[in-house]
mmCIF file of all heavy atoms in Angstrom:
data_model
loop_
_atom_site.group_PDB
_atom_site.id
_atom_site.type_symbol
_atom_site.label_atom_id
_atom_site.label_comp_id
_atom_site.label_asym_id
_atom_site.label_seq_id
_atom_site.Cartn_x
_atom_site.Cartn_y
_atom_site.Cartn_z
ATOM 1 N N VAL A 201 104.807 70.948 108.813
ATOM 2 C CA VAL A 201 105.779 70.741 109.880
ATOM 3 C C VAL A 201 105.992 69.232 110.063
ATOM 4 O O VAL A 201 105.064 68.511 110.452
ATOM 5 C CB VAL A 201 105.299 71.383 111.198
ATOM 6 C CG1 VAL A 201 106.335 71.164 112.298
ATOM 7 C CG2 VAL A 201 105.032 72.866 111.003
ATOM 8 N N VAL A 202 107.227 68.767 109.773
ATOM 9 C CA VAL A 202 107.556 67.346 109.875
ATOM 10 C C VAL A 202 108.520 67.153 111.042
ATOM 11 O O VAL A 202 109.599 67.772 111.088
ATOM 12 C CB VAL A 202 108.195 66.829 108.572
ATOM 13 C CG1 VAL A 202 108.502 65.339 108.681
ATOM 14 C CG2 VAL A 202 107.278 67.102 107.391
ATOM 15 N N CYS A 203 108.150 66.324 111.993
ATOM 16 C CA CYS A 203 108.978 66.106 113.186
ATOM 17 C C CYS A 203 110.305 65.424 112.831
ATOM 18 O O CYS A 203 110.373 64.574 111.936
ATOM 19 C CB CYS A 203 108.225 65.242 114.189
ATOM 20 S SG CYS A 203 106.793 66.048 114.921
ATOM 21 N N THR A 204 111.355 65.832 113.536
ATOM 22 C CA THR A 204 112.681 65.225 113.379
ATOM 23 C C THR A 204 113.232 64.951 114.772
ATOM 24 O O THR A 204 112.514 65.037 115.771
ATOM 25 C CB THR A 204 113.632 66.169 112.628
ATOM 26 O OG1 THR A 204 113.804 67.377 113.396
ATOM 27 C CG2 THR A 204 113.100 66.520 111.250
ATOM 28 N N THR A 205 114.525 64.679 114.842
ATOM 29 C CA THR A 205 115.178 64.570 116.143
ATOM 30 C C THR A 205 115.353 65.959 116.727
ATOM 31 O O THR A 205 115.275 66.962 116.014
ATOM 32 C CB THR A 205 116.558 63.905 115.988
ATOM 33 O OG1 THR A 205 117.323 64.648 115.038
ATOM 34 C CG2 THR A 205 116.396 62.478 115.494
ATOM 35 N N PRO A 206 115.576 66.091 118.039
ATOM 36 C CA PRO A 206 115.737 67.406 118.665
ATOM 37 C C PRO A 206 116.789 68.253 117.970
ATOM 38 O O PRO A 206 117.828 67.769 117.549
ATOM 39 C CB PRO A 206 116.137 67.074 120.106
ATOM 40 C CG PRO A 206 115.538 65.738 120.347
ATOM 41 C CD PRO A 206 115.626 65.001 119.034
ATOM 42 N N ASN A 207 116.486 69.567 117.856
ATOM 43 C CA ASN A 207 117.355 70.515 117.173
ATOM 44 C C ASN A 207 118.315 71.125 118.191
ATOM 45 O O ASN A 207 117.892 71.782 119.136
ATOM 46 C CB ASN A 207 116.501 71.619 116.519
ATOM 47 C CG ASN A 207 117.311 72.508 115.593
ATOM 48 O OD1 ASN A 207 118.502 72.687 115.802
ATOM 49 N ND2 ASN A 207 116.665 73.059 114.583
ATOM 50 N N ASP A 208 119.603 70.902 118.004
ATOM 51 C CA ASP A 208 120.610 71.434 118.935
ATOM 52 C C ASP A 208 121.406 72.585 118.337
ATOM 53 O O ASP A 208 122.545 72.818 118.692
ATOM 54 C CB ASP A 208 121.588 70.321 119.334
ATOM 55 C CG ASP A 208 120.892 69.192 120.088
ATOM 56 O OD1 ASP A 208 119.980 69.502 120.866
ATOM 57 O OD2 ASP A 208 121.264 68.020 119.871
ATOM 58 N N SER A 209 120.792 73.324 117.395
ATOM 59 C CA SER A 209 121.507 74.422 116.736
ATOM 60 C C SER A 209 121.872 75.491 117.751
ATOM 61 O O SER A 209 121.154 75.739 118.711
ATOM 62 C CB SER A 209 120.649 75.029 115.626
ATOM 63 O OG SER A 209 119.448 75.551 116.162
ATOM 64 N N VAL A 210 123.027 76.113 117.524
ATOM 65 C CA VAL A 210 123.502 77.128 118.458
ATOM 66 C C VAL A 210 122.997 78.492 118.031
ATOM 67 O O VAL A 210 122.536 78.696 116.934
ATOM 68 C CB VAL A 210 125.051 77.129 118.505
ATOM 69 C CG1 VAL A 210 125.557 75.838 119.057
ATOM 70 C CG2 VAL A 210 125.637 77.415 117.122
ATOM 71 N N GLY A 211 123.148 79.458 118.935
ATOM 72 C CA GLY A 211 122.741 80.820 118.634
ATOM 73 C C GLY A 211 121.723 81.305 119.647
ATOM 74 O O GLY A 211 121.092 80.531 120.357
ATOM 75 N N MET A 212 121.571 82.618 119.733
ATOM 76 C CA MET A 212 120.641 83.211 120.678
ATOM 77 C C MET A 212 119.221 83.108 120.140
ATOM 78 O O MET A 212 118.955 83.482 119.002
ATOM 79 C CB MET A 212 121.011 84.679 120.927
ATOM 80 C CG MET A 212 120.185 85.345 122.023
ATOM 81 S SD MET A 212 120.676 87.055 122.283
ATOM 82 C CE MET A 212 122.348 86.822 122.885
ATOM 83 N N HIS A 213 118.300 82.620 120.961
ATOM 84 C CA HIS A 213 116.927 82.417 120.553
ATOM 85 C C HIS A 213 115.992 83.239 121.425
ATOM 86 O O HIS A 213 116.299 83.562 122.565
ATOM 87 C CB HIS A 213 116.535 80.942 120.652
ATOM 88 C CG HIS A 213 117.367 80.036 119.796
ATOM 89 N ND1 HIS A 213 117.398 78.671 119.992
ATOM 90 C CD2 HIS A 213 118.190 80.284 118.754
ATOM 91 C CE1 HIS A 213 118.218 78.122 119.098
ATOM 92 N NE2 HIS A 213 118.704 79.088 118.352
ATOM 93 N N ILE A 214 114.837 83.559 120.863
ATOM 94 C CA ILE A 214 113.740 84.160 121.619
ATOM 95 C C ILE A 214 112.707 83.074 121.827
ATOM 96 O O ILE A 214 112.273 82.435 120.864
ATOM 97 C CB ILE A 214 113.105 85.334 120.860
ATOM 98 C CG1 ILE A 214 114.145 86.407 120.541
ATOM 99 C CG2 ILE A 214 111.969 85.949 121.679
ATOM 100 C CD1 ILE A 214 113.614 87.513 119.655
ATOM 101 N N GLY A 215 112.296 82.863 123.063
ATOM 102 C CA GLY A 215 111.273 81.857 123.324
ATOM 103 C C GLY A 215 109.932 82.279 122.756
ATOM 104 O O GLY A 215 109.558 83.463 122.790
ATOM 105 N N GLY A 216 109.204 81.331 122.203
ATOM 106 C CA GLY A 216 107.912 81.641 121.596
ATOM 107 C C GLY A 216 106.935 82.273 122.566
ATOM 108 O O GLY A 216 106.119 83.110 122.192
#
Side-chain angles (χ1 to χ4, degrees):
V201 180
V202 181
C203 292
T204 62
T205 56
N207 190 331
D208 297 323
S209 61
V210 295
M212 186 179 295
H213 300 163
I214 302 173

